[in-house]
Amino acid sequence: MKINGQPYRTIWEAADGKSVEVIDQRKLPHIFDTVRLDNVERYAWAISDMVIRGAPLIGVCAAYGLATAMFENSSDDGLALAYERLIGTRPTAVNLRWSLDRMRGFFMGMVPEARASSGFALARSIAEEDVQLSAAIGRHGAEIIQRAWSAKGQKGPVNILTHCNAGWLAAVDWGTATSPIYHAVAQGVPVHVYVDETRPRNQGASLTAFELNEEGVPHSVIVDNAGGHLMQHGQVDLCIVGSDRTTSTGDVCNKIGTYLKALAAKDNDVPFYAALPFSTIDWSLAEGVRSIPIETRSDEEVTHVSGKMDDGMIATVQITPDGSSAYNPAFDVTPARLVTGIITERGVAPATEAGLRALYA
Ligand code: MRU
């Protein structure tokens, strides 16, 4: 997708053939900067510190991380150490494990001396595959938006509420929740997006709004608590969110606050969709609320906020009293009964085990 009219992806290979560059998402929307990842520690830092984030991109970045690690130490021990370092970076998004397992399986099938020269090719194909998956999610999801527009007699825009950033910045390109929006807009459907700001890190206000702005998609940033009110007043036609891990039974884990939006959607008969590629489905889990590991992040993300000052400088300020502690679970689980459907690269499934298995036989 575009930044300043120029097409970008979130991650690309550096000229040396053994490192990558990524957009530093901590600085958006005010500063565009890139960061070079050229050893396994740098990759681990970039994922844990959220230089890059979003389930699909975490997976792709980790795949490149393991490939880069093979230039440092391609022995079985080196592979095991790099795998452990990367898998420990963030616990919730299952795409991380999926891509690292895929890379490790590939490396284990060859002699250590061959690993450095072949790892980037597989990481590249995982990245390219992610682009295709997101595009296919967009095509299937756009049909839902088209139908919502028809249901309104093609009057006014389709109002879509989204939470966090499940956009192209969370993937390699297109995104998951925003891909249907970009596809529908390209098909001529008028869309307006309500963007939850998504405290504490404000991925909605800073990243989703940035993306939509750059793509010229009409949107309004709303505070996290506004969604229920808007739904009660008929101002939201449908919700589309992403996911970090979805169980085989259709429970959807996503950024903290998603569950409350799904409850409000259910109470107001607003369709609630999760958009995700197959790599986000954890087939080993039949239940999400008790089984999915929820990342707890630092208190400081809650007690402080960052933004641009009137003089253009970026500043971080404390918003809580000295001495108040905080608690910061980063994700929650929306039970399948609240999910209208799961938009995948293979089509839209009911949020049930039978529905998902029918798509992924
Ligand atoms: O903590 P983050 O910013 O990595 O959380 C991102 C989300 O919760 C996204 O909605 C999710 O990863 C889906 S991304 C297509």
Side-chain angles (χ1 to χ4, degrees):
M1 305 301 285
K2 293 193 288 297
I3 297 178
N4 255 332
Q6 296 295 314
Y8 269 94
R9 287 185 172 181
T10 51
I11 186 166
W12 58 94
E13 293 175 23
D16 66 3
K18 53 182 184 180
S19 62
V20 299
E21 289 194 47
V22 296
I23 298 171
D24 187 344
Q25 300 193 20
R26 300 168 307 173
K27 297 184 178 172
L28 291 174
H30 305 302
I31 297 169
F32 176 83
D33 201 3
T34 62
V35 164
R36 177 83 158 266
L37 308 178
D38 55 6
N39 62 61
V40 73
E41 270 312 309
R42 287 278 288 173
Y43 281 92
W45 159 77
I47 298 170
S48 344
D49 218 46
M50 295 178 66
V51 174
I52 66 96
R53 24 67 53 204
L57 180 56
I58 290 170
V60 169
C61 187
Y64 274 114
L66 211 55
T68 292
M70 294 302 95
F71 288 96
E72 298 169 59
N73 179 354
S74 67
S75 68
D76 285 355
D77 283 352
L79 177 58
L81 281 171
Y83 179 98
E84 287 309 320
R85 182 70 186 97
L86 291 166
I87 198 128
T89 49
R90 294 197 71 189
T92 303
V94 76
N95 309 58
L96 177 64
R97 187 182 76 200
W98 172 83
S99 70
L100 285 174
D101 284 352
R102 192 162 159 189
M103 293 294 292
R104 182 174 62 177
F106 174 69
F107 287 137
M108 291 306 279
M110 65 181 68
V111 292
E113 297 69 37
R115 289 172 183 162
S117 59
S118 48
F120 258 56
L122 180 58
R124 188 179 310 130
S125 73
I126 291 174
E128 291 302 327
E129 183 181 77
D130 188 70
V131 177
Q132 300 312 322
L133 293 169
S134 291
I137 287 169
R139 288 192 293 273
H140 293 299
E143 291 175 20
I144 294 170
I145 301 174
Q146 284 271 10
R147 282 199 295 276
W149 194 39
S150 300
K152 294 179 83 165
Q154 301 197 339
K155 289 200 187 71
V158 179
N159 287 295
I160 301 174
L161 183 143
T162 192
H163 191 69
C164 193
N165 173 259
W168 74 268
L169 291 168
V172 177
D173 208 347
W174 289 113
T176 58
T178 57
S179 185
I181 294 169
Y182 295 133
H183 280 79
V185 168
Q187 292 164 12
V189 181
V191 172
H192 168 263
V193 185
Y194 284 115
V195 180
D196 284 348
E197 60 178 344
T198 318
R199 277 281 286 150
R201 289 187 69 103
N202 291 317
Q203 289 96 326
S206 58
L207 302 177
T208 305
F210 174 79
E211 283 192 34
L212 296 171
N213 210 30
E214 295 292 320
E215 291 293 326
V217 178
H219 61 281
S220 307
V221 179
I222 54 173
V223 297
D224 288 327
N225 294 324
H229 168 77
L230 296 183
M231 291 187 226
Q232 281 177 325
H233 290 272
Q235 289 170 270
V236 179
D237 295 305
L238 61 127
C239 304
I240 311 181
V241 300
S243 176
D244 291 82
R245 191 184 295 228
T246 291
T247 66
S248 63
T249 49
D251 291 348
V252 172
C253 181
N254 191 49
K255 181 54 57 191
I256 192 81
T258 303
Y259 170 50
L260 288 177
K261 296 298 137 49
L263 282 172
K266 186 76 169 179
D267 198 42
N268 292 284
D269 292 324
V270 174
F272 186 93
Y273 290 93
L276 50 110
F278 76 98
S279 48
T280 301
I281 303 173
D282 187 342
W283 296 101
S284 72
L285 298 182
E287 186 284 329
V289 176
R290 285 175 301 281
S291 318
I292 296 178
I294 301 294
E295 176 179 19
T296 304
R297 293 189 62 87
S298 76
D299 291 8
E300 203 179 326
E301 291 184 350
V302 178
T303 58
H304 291 66
V305 289
S306 295
K308 187 165 75 170
M309 309 285 279
D310 286 345
D311 63 4
M313 298 297 285
I314 305 299
T316 299
V317 296
Q318 181 180 325
I319 57 169
T320 51
D322 291 343
S324 283
S325 61
Y327 177 51
N328 188 13
F331 298 93
D332 62 25
V333 175
T334 299
R337 66 187 156 77
L338 302 178
V339 179
T340 308
I342 296 184
I343 308 169
T344 76
E345 73 282 358
R346 294 195 178 187
V348 182
T352 61
E353 176 133 32
L356 285 171
R357 291 212 187 269
L359 282 188
Y360 300 99

